[in-house]
Amino acid sequence: ELRRSKLHFHGHLFDPSISYRLTLATNTRTLAYSSESNVFIENAFIQKRFDNGMFFRLGQYKGPYLREEIVPSAYQLAVERSMVNHAFTYAWTQGLELGWDVAPFHLRAMYNDGPRQLNVGAYRTRMRSILARAELVLAGEHADFDTLTNKDADEFGLMLGAGFQWYMLKNSEREWVYANAEAERSLGFTVDLSMFDKGWTAFTYFVLGNGRNGALDLDQDTIGSWGWIGQGGVIVAENVQLYGRYEL
C-alpha cells in the first residue's frame, strides 16, 4: 500500500508569468477531516507574476500560515507532521492571494474561506478568513527553505517567519473546530525560526489561537490554545540522518 500517491500537473498558459498547478492525490486511509478513503484534489490554482516580484494567486492551495504545513510532505524531517500542526493548520483552503517576493523579504496575504476547506464547493462556503505571512531570509536563499531536511546544504542558512490568522463564521449558530476549540471566530499568530548548515538542520515555532465560543454548553466565552515545536536533524552518513522532535 502507498501512504500517499500524488499526480502533479504544472506549467504556464500563453506566457511564463501565468502559471498553474493541479495536484490529484489518493489516500489509503481516511483523512482527519474526511469519512472515507478517496481520490481528491489538493492544489488547483492559477497565478500571475509581475516583474517587480508581486504576484496574484487564485484557487485552492495551502494557506500561508504554518511553515510546517507549507513544506510538502515529501520534504519533512520527521515521518509525519506534528500534533501541534494538526491542531492549528489551515491546510488546503480556497481564495485569492497577493504576494511580494523581493529578497530578503517574502510577504503573502490571502482572503479565503477558512481552515481545512479541501474540495469544498464555493456555494457551500460558511466562513470568511484572512491569512498573512512574512518571511525574512537572513542567510542563504529563499529556495533553500523549501525543505526541512537540507541534506545537500553546504553553507549556513537562517530564516525568520511570522503569520497571522483570523476567521469568522457567517452563521453565528454554528461552530468550527480549530485550535482545540469549537469557535465561531478565531484569532491567532505564529512565529518560527529555521536554520541549517552543512551536516545539520534545526526548526522551531510557536503558535497561539484564541477562539470565541458560541456554544451555550461550554463555560468559557473565549478559549485560548497554544503550541510549541522544536526539532533538529544531524547527518551521520550519506543518506542517513538522525532527527528528534519535541512538542508541547
Side-chain angles (χ1 to χ4, degrees):
E1 293 184 348
L2 298 178
R3 176 66 179 88
R4 295 183 178 96
S5 297
K6 301 185 181 185
L7 182 61
H8 298 280
F9 300 90
H10 60 92
H12 66 268
L13 302 172
F14 310 115
D15 183 272
S17 66
I18 304 176
S19 59
Y20 71 89
R21 179 175 289 271
L22 176 65
T23 304
L24 303 179
T26 65
N27 211 321
T28 59
R29 299 297 296 265
T30 60
L31 296 169
Y33 37 87
S34 175
S35 60
E36 60 185 10
S37 301
N38 50 20
V39 177
F40 52 94
I41 295 175
E42 290 184 341
N43 298 303
F45 65 83
I46 57 174
Q47 176 176 293
K48 169 63 178 177
R49 183 171 290 275
F50 300 93
D51 293 337
N52 61 359
M54 185 175 293
F55 67 87
F56 289 98
R57 180 182 291 183
L58 176 66
Q60 175 174 281
Y61 48 94
K62 287 187 175 181
Y65 189 47
L66 292 184
R67 169 160 156 71
E68 185 182 358
E69 181 66 50
I70 294 174
V71 174
S73 57
Y75 303 118
Q76 294 286 319
L77 178 67
V79 176
E80 186 55 273
R81 294 183 177 91
S82 66
M83 294 180 288
V84 170
N85 181 86
H86 179 73
F88 291 90
T89 184
Y90 262 59
W92 282 275
T93 184
Q94 304 170 24
L96 174 65
E97 178 180 326
L98 171 63
W100 187 55
D101 293 324
V102 176
F105 298 100
H106 301 269
L107 309 175
R108 300 171 67 182
M110 180 186 186
Y111 179 79
N112 61 86
D113 54 5
R116 303 185 304 276
Q117 294 291 335
L118 180 69
N119 297 172
V120 175
Y123 68 93
R124 294 177 55 192
T125 299
R126 294 179 289 181
M127 68 181 77
R128 55 184 181 270
S129 172
I130 295 175
L131 291 175
R133 179 169 175 84
E135 295 175 342
L136 173 61
V137 179
L138 299 172
E141 301 294 331
H142 191 249
D144 297 335
F145 296 93
D146 290 341
T147 173
L148 290 175
T149 62
N150 295 102
K151 171 181 175 295
D152 299 320
D154 55 5
E155 61 180 11
F156 180 69
L158 177 64
M159 184 177 75
L160 178 65
F164 165 84
Q165 70 86 15
W166 169 86
Y167 78 74
M168 176 182 291
L169 285 168
K170 293 181 178 179
N171 185 346
S172 60
E173 297 180 355
R174 307 191 63 159
E175 287 79 41
W176 190 260
V177 178
Y178 175 77
N180 302 318
E182 292 188 15
E184 63 181 10
R185 67 180 67 177
S186 179
L187 182 69
F189 72 90
T190 181
V191 291
D192 55 82
L193 183 69
S194 307
M195 65 179 68
F196 61 83
D197 205 341
K198 187 175 183 179
W200 62 269
T201 181
F203 171 58
T204 183
Y205 73 92
F206 175 84
V207 58
L208 181 144
N210 189 277
R212 180 175 177 83
N213 165 46
L216 298 178
D217 56 338
L218 297 179
D219 294 335
Q220 295 173 295
D221 182 57
T222 59
I223 300 175
S225 182
W226 60 269
W228 175 76
I229 290 288
Q231 70 177 39
V234 178
I235 297 176
V236 295
E238 186 177 4
N239 297 324
V240 178
Q241 184 172 13
L242 301 180
Y243 71 85
R245 170 195 286 161
Y246 181 81
E247 54 181 305
L248 183 65

